[in-house]
Amino acid sequence: MIARVAALALGLAACGDAGAVLAGGDTTVFDRTSNAYALPAPGLDDAALALHLAGDASFEATFVRGPAPVNAGLGPLYNHNACAACHGRDGRGLPQFGGAASQALVRVSLAHGEPELPGAPVPVPGLGGQLQDHGVFGVPPEIAIELTWIDEPGRYGDGAEFWLRRPRLILRRPDGALLPADVLRSFRQAPAVFGLGLLEAIPDDDLRAAADPDDRDGDGISGRVNLVWDVDAGAVRIGRFGHKAGNPTLVQQAAAAYANDMGVTSRRFGGEVEVTDDVIAAAAHYTATLGVPARAPGDVAAGEALFAALGCDACHTATQRSGDHAIAALAHQTFAPYTDLLLHDLGAGLADDRPEFAADGREWRTPPLWGLGLAPTVLPGASYLHDGRARTVAEAILWHGGEAEPARERFRTASVAQRTALLRFLAAL
């Protein structure tokens, strides 16, 4: 702690360099309104911009039960009927279930058995890997989800009280029976989708170089890459997308979302082609080419220095560099996502106890922090962490455990002025 705080002055200089990097490199957009996540990246050539606009239409498209002249294939079981329904304005969703307001989901699996893809979670017979709480007309949902919150008190080092909330799910089948206790489950809200092409363009070698699975440097941080199945390559690849980095590419992420979230099958998932490769590619291209909002103006140097001094940057790596990419505007950019894309043990408090490929039940991928301060502007009432349990950024920090526990404790025991400075910096991202 003493060494960390003593490093504050040094951190000011170091973070000044990071602060000079535009959030999305040349793909940065200078907009701090509720539309900030939804703008195309600057610098797209005509073909890339045209595909972006086509992908925007695909992302907004509402699917319906077939047969239908357009957008047929919804369900029969599903979570929602459009990509944009859970990623409003291309931002995060809310941790809520029920009717049209449902924007979250529950992944399920068994601890033992045969996965459908090598290394993947084992599907639950009759349910698959994700619970669908909606059904088309005449088809009852396979699950009823009741979400309540359990309040937990805590105190800062100066004695000030805070309250956290922990989700509690009650999952009932159509006959009223509870989901069996041996079914592993993971409650998740939708993440924001801008800037993803830059994350896809970070070279594999850079991610491997940043990993330290055995903590050989002794800093208490042991990030590692998730190794997942690439359905197009037919091989194991580094996972990048999703709360546990369970998908290696944006195309696979999009195809899986069509299948699992909307029940819309494709060549890759489900077999019957209800959505074509071209539509999936357009939707993936759209998320790849959304611009990244620039930081808010203002002096947040003190909070930025604390971000490093408290140890937040050990996982939330400030800057990254993209390599080659088929979309020229995304290639060879230096940008500031504040993520290492690695898996980290976040402790028992955040554990879902459900493995996903190489990720164990306590590990989560470090989420990007770019655009964090705009979350409540884009979505009033926005919440944080994988399941939306944190109502504020401060609560999100206070939930950190495992490898991040020392950093959390430095924040919890910091002065009010220091905590305020750190939160002001994060609000400027």
Side-chain angles (χ1 to χ4, degrees):
M1 173 64 183
I2 293 174
R4 277 287 186 183
V5 175
L8 180 58
L10 295 175
L12 279 167
C15 290
D17 294 335
V21 174
L22 289 175
D26 290 343
T27 73
T28 301
V29 294
F30 296 87
D31 188 309
R32 299 288 293 183
T33 72
S34 60
N35 203 39
Y37 297 165
L39 299 172
L44 299 178
D45 60 29
D46 290 346
L49 181 59
L51 187 54
H52 176 93
L53 297 175
D56 190 359
S58 298
F59 202 79
E60 295 285 339
T62 298
F63 278 79
V64 298
R65 181 182 186 179
V70 294
N71 301 333
L74 180 68
L77 295 169
Y78 62 98
N79 295 111
H80 223 312
N81 56 5
C83 304
C86 293
H87 302 279
R89 293 186 174 127
D90 302 310
R92 64 190 64 207
L94 291 169
Q96 56 191 27
F97 299 97
S102 189
Q103 295 182 335
L105 56 84
V106 180
R107 297 268 174 84
V108 292
S109 59
L110 296 177
H112 305 286
E114 288 296 322
E116 293 179 348
L117 298 175
V122 177
V124 179
L127 294 173
Q130 185 167 310
L131 300 177
Q132 275 83 31
D133 57 340
H134 293 70
V136 298
F137 180 76
V139 178
E142 64 185 356
I143 201 75
I145 304 175
E146 179 183 342
L147 169 63
T148 56
W149 301 98
I150 301 169
D151 291 329
E152 298 184 4
R155 289 190 182 279
Y156 288 105
D158 58 13
E161 185 179 51
F162 61 78
W163 286 85
L164 304 179
R165 64 174 187 176
R166 180 187 298 275
R168 179 174 62 186
L169 295 178
I170 297 177
L171 306 170
R172 294 188 185 278
R173 301 302 309 278
D175 63 359
L178 292 172
L179 198 68
D182 65 341
V183 174
L184 309 179
R185 57 206 72 187
S186 184
F187 168 30
R188 304 177 184 190
Q189 71 172 9
V193 296
F194 64 88
L196 301 187
L198 290 173
L199 301 183
E200 190 171 54
I202 300 172
D204 285 358
D205 287 347
D206 288 4
L207 299 180
R208 290 193 184 95
D212 185 18
D214 300 317
D215 192 21
R216 297 181 66 177
D217 63 7
D219 67 351
I221 305 297
S222 56
R224 62 194 183 110
V225 295
N226 199 356
L227 295 173
V228 306
W229 189 253
D230 186 321
V231 298
D232 290 324
V236 172
R237 294 284 186 267
I238 290 177
R240 296 166 185 262
F241 303 108
H243 290 297
K244 284 182 180 276
N247 277 301
T249 65
L250 289 173
V251 167
Q252 183 165 323
Q253 175 82 0
Y258 275 109
N260 296 324
D261 301 352
M262 295 186 279
V264 180
T265 57
S266 65
R267 175 178 61 81
R268 294 179 178 83
F269 297 105
E272 181 182 357
V273 178
E274 294 175 320
V275 60
T276 66
D277 285 0
D278 287 346
V279 171
I280 291 170
H285 178 90
Y286 175 69
T287 61
T289 53
L290 285 166
V292 179
R295 278 198 198 185
D299 182 6
V300 292
E304 186 172 7
L306 277 163
F307 186 79
L310 299 183
C312 309
D313 64 346
C315 304
H316 291 283
T317 305
T319 61
Q320 297 282 358
R321 175 81 178 165
S322 62
D324 295 335
H325 197 278
I327 302 170
L330 303 178
H332 308 296
Q333 295 295 307
T334 300
F335 54 101
Y338 292 89
T339 176
D340 59 7
L341 290 185
L342 301 178
L343 300 172
H344 294 277
D345 176 357
L346 268 294
L350 289 178
D352 64 357
D353 299 319
R354 177 181 180 271
E356 185 173 330
F357 292 98
D360 69 26
R362 291 167 57 106
E363 290 179 315
W364 299 94
R365 186 204 66 164
T366 306
L369 299 182
W370 52 13
L372 182 69
L374 285 164
T377 301
V378 174
L379 178 66
S383 53
Y384 309 91
L385 298 175
H386 65 277
D387 54 13
R389 69 177 65 191
R391 292 159 291 194
T392 65
V393 173
E395 288 186 16
I397 297 170
L398 292 165
W399 269 111
H400 281 52
E403 298 173 35
E405 182 174 342
R408 179 202 69 198
E409 282 302 286
R410 293 180 192 114
F411 172 76
R412 191 185 67 81
T413 58
S415 68
V416 172
Q418 288 176 316
R419 298 199 305 266
T420 300
L422 178 67
L423 295 174
R424 284 189 64 236
F425 162 65
L426 295 172
L429 294 180

